[in-house]
Short mmCIF file of all heavy atoms in Angstrom, two decimals:
data_model
loop_
_atom_site.label_atom_id
_atom_site.label_comp_id
_atom_site.label_asym_id
_atom_site.label_seq_id
_atom_site.Cartn_x
_atom_site.Cartn_y
_atom_site.Cartn_z
N LEU A 31 -49.35 -21.45 -17.45
CA LEU A 31 -49.31 -20.04 -17.19
C LEU A 31 -48.81 -19.66 -15.75
O LEU A 31 -48.13 -18.72 -15.58
CB LEU A 31 -50.59 -19.33 -17.42
CG LEU A 31 -50.88 -17.84 -17.12
CD1 LEU A 31 -49.91 -17.17 -18.00
CD2 LEU A 31 -52.41 -17.42 -17.33
N ILE A 32 -49.34 -20.37 -14.73
CA ILE A 32 -48.93 -20.12 -13.35
C ILE A 32 -47.49 -20.39 -13.19
O ILE A 32 -46.74 -19.61 -12.45
CB ILE A 32 -49.84 -21.08 -12.44
CG1 ILE A 32 -51.22 -20.53 -12.47
CG2 ILE A 32 -49.26 -20.96 -11.01
CD1 ILE A 32 -52.26 -21.46 -11.69
N ILE A 33 -46.96 -21.67 -13.70
CA ILE A 33 -45.61 -21.82 -13.63
C ILE A 33 -44.72 -20.67 -14.15
O ILE A 33 -43.76 -20.32 -13.67
CB ILE A 33 -45.27 -23.22 -14.28
CG1 ILE A 33 -45.91 -24.33 -13.46
CG2 ILE A 33 -43.80 -23.40 -14.32
CD1 ILE A 33 -45.84 -25.74 -14.05
N GLY A 34 -45.13 -20.32 -15.43
CA GLY A 34 -44.43 -19.23 -16.08
C GLY A 34 -44.35 -17.88 -15.21
O GLY A 34 -43.32 -17.30 -15.14
N ILE A 35 -45.48 -17.68 -14.54
CA ILE A 35 -45.53 -16.40 -13.74
C ILE A 35 -44.57 -16.60 -12.54
O ILE A 35 -43.90 -15.74 -12.15
CB ILE A 35 -46.99 -16.23 -13.24
CG1 ILE A 35 -47.85 -15.82 -14.48
CG2 ILE A 35 -47.10 -15.14 -12.14
CD1 ILE A 35 -49.38 -15.60 -14.06
N LEU A 36 -44.57 -17.84 -11.93
CA LEU A 36 -43.74 -18.03 -10.76
C LEU A 36 -42.32 -17.98 -11.14
O LEU A 36 -41.43 -17.34 -10.45
CB LEU A 36 -44.02 -19.51 -10.23
CG LEU A 36 -45.39 -19.58 -9.54
CD1 LEU A 36 -45.66 -21.14 -9.12
CD2 LEU A 36 -45.48 -18.74 -8.38
N ILE A 37 -41.89 -18.52 -12.34
CA ILE A 37 -40.50 -18.44 -12.84
C ILE A 37 -40.13 -17.01 -13.09
O ILE A 37 -39.04 -16.57 -12.71
CB ILE A 37 -40.28 -19.32 -14.02
CG1 ILE A 37 -40.41 -20.81 -13.59
CG2 ILE A 37 -38.96 -19.11 -14.69
CD1 ILE A 37 -40.41 -21.66 -14.97
N SER A 38 -40.92 -16.32 -13.66
CA SER A 38 -40.72 -14.81 -14.04
C SER A 38 -40.52 -14.07 -12.68
O SER A 38 -39.64 -13.16 -12.51
CB SER A 38 -41.92 -14.28 -14.81
OG SER A 38 -41.99 -14.81 -16.02
N GLY A 39 -41.36 -14.43 -11.67
CA GLY A 39 -41.21 -13.84 -10.33
C GLY A 39 -39.91 -14.01 -9.70
O GLY A 39 -39.28 -13.26 -9.12
N ILE A 40 -39.48 -15.31 -9.81
CA ILE A 40 -38.14 -15.79 -9.20
C ILE A 40 -37.04 -15.06 -9.85
O ILE A 40 -36.12 -14.47 -9.21
CB ILE A 40 -38.10 -17.23 -9.33
CG1 ILE A 40 -39.00 -17.94 -8.37
CG2 ILE A 40 -36.52 -17.69 -8.93
CD1 ILE A 40 -39.07 -19.43 -8.62
N LEU A 41 -37.01 -14.94 -11.22
CA LEU A 41 -35.94 -14.28 -11.94
C LEU A 41 -35.92 -12.79 -11.66
O LEU A 41 -34.74 -12.28 -11.50
CB LEU A 41 -36.20 -14.59 -13.45
CG LEU A 41 -36.01 -16.01 -13.92
CD1 LEU A 41 -36.33 -16.07 -15.45
CD2 LEU A 41 -34.55 -16.47 -13.67
N ALA A 42 -37.10 -12.24 -11.64
CA ALA A 42 -37.19 -10.84 -11.18
C ALA A 42 -36.70 -10.57 -9.78
O ALA A 42 -35.89 -9.54 -9.57
CB ALA A 42 -38.56 -10.33 -11.25
N SER A 43 -36.96 -11.46 -8.86
CA SER A 43 -36.50 -11.36 -7.48
C SER A 43 -34.97 -11.42 -7.48
O SER A 43 -34.31 -10.66 -6.70
CB SER A 43 -37.10 -12.37 -6.57
OG SER A 43 -38.53 -12.21 -6.48
N ASN A 44 -34.35 -12.42 -8.26
CA ASN A 44 -32.89 -12.47 -8.26
C ASN A 44 -32.27 -11.31 -8.78
O ASN A 44 -31.22 -10.88 -8.31
CB ASN A 44 -32.60 -13.78 -9.12
CG ASN A 44 -32.86 -15.03 -8.28
OD1 ASN A 44 -33.04 -15.06 -7.21
ND2 ASN A 44 -32.98 -16.20 -9.12
N ALA A 45 -32.86 -10.71 -9.77
CA ALA A 45 -32.30 -9.49 -10.39
C ALA A 45 -32.41 -8.30 -9.40
O ALA A 45 -31.31 -7.58 -9.39
CB ALA A 45 -33.05 -9.23 -11.67
N ILE A 46 -33.42 -8.26 -8.59
CA ILE A 46 -33.53 -7.14 -7.65
C ILE A 46 -32.55 -7.36 -6.57
O ILE A 46 -31.90 -6.37 -6.16
CB ILE A 46 -34.97 -7.13 -7.15
CG1 ILE A 46 -36.02 -6.72 -8.15
CG2 ILE A 46 -35.10 -6.29 -5.82
CD1 ILE A 46 -37.45 -6.89 -7.74
N ILE A 47 -32.32 -8.66 -6.03
CA ILE A 47 -31.41 -8.91 -5.00
C ILE A 47 -30.06 -8.53 -5.46
O ILE A 47 -29.23 -7.97 -4.81
CB ILE A 47 -31.49 -10.41 -4.57
CG1 ILE A 47 -32.83 -10.65 -3.93
CG2 ILE A 47 -30.40 -10.79 -3.65
CD1 ILE A 47 -33.01 -12.07 -3.62
N LYS A 48 -29.61 -8.88 -6.75
CA LYS A 48 -28.36 -8.55 -7.31
C LYS A 48 -28.15 -7.12 -7.30
O LYS A 48 -27.05 -6.61 -6.98
CB LYS A 48 -28.13 -9.22 -8.61
CG LYS A 48 -26.84 -8.96 -9.37
CD LYS A 48 -26.86 -9.67 -10.70
CE LYS A 48 -25.38 -9.39 -11.38
NZ LYS A 48 -25.45 -10.01 -12.70
N LYS A 49 -29.15 -6.40 -7.83
CA LYS A 49 -29.00 -4.98 -7.98
C LYS A 49 -28.91 -4.33 -6.52
O LYS A 49 -28.01 -3.45 -6.40
CB LYS A 49 -30.29 -4.36 -8.68
CG LYS A 49 -30.10 -2.88 -8.96
CD LYS A 49 -31.35 -2.44 -9.78
CE LYS A 49 -31.24 -0.89 -10.08
NZ LYS A 49 -32.48 -0.50 -10.79
N PHE A 50 -29.51 -4.86 -5.66
CA PHE A 50 -29.52 -4.32 -4.22
C PHE A 50 -28.06 -4.51 -3.64
O PHE A 50 -27.57 -3.56 -3.05
CB PHE A 50 -30.56 -4.94 -3.33
CG PHE A 50 -30.55 -4.58 -1.91
CD1 PHE A 50 -31.03 -3.28 -1.56
CD2 PHE A 50 -29.97 -5.25 -1.00
CE1 PHE A 50 -30.94 -2.85 -0.18
CE2 PHE A 50 -29.91 -4.93 0.33
CZ PHE A 50 -30.22 -3.71 0.72
#
Side-chain angles (χ1 to χ4, degrees):
L31 176 62
I32 292 173
I33 291 174
I35 292 172
L36 291 174
I37 292 174
S38 297
I40 291 170
L41 293 175
S43 297
N44 288 338
I46 291 171
I47 291 171
K48 178 179 178 181
K49 185 175 181 180
F50 176 76

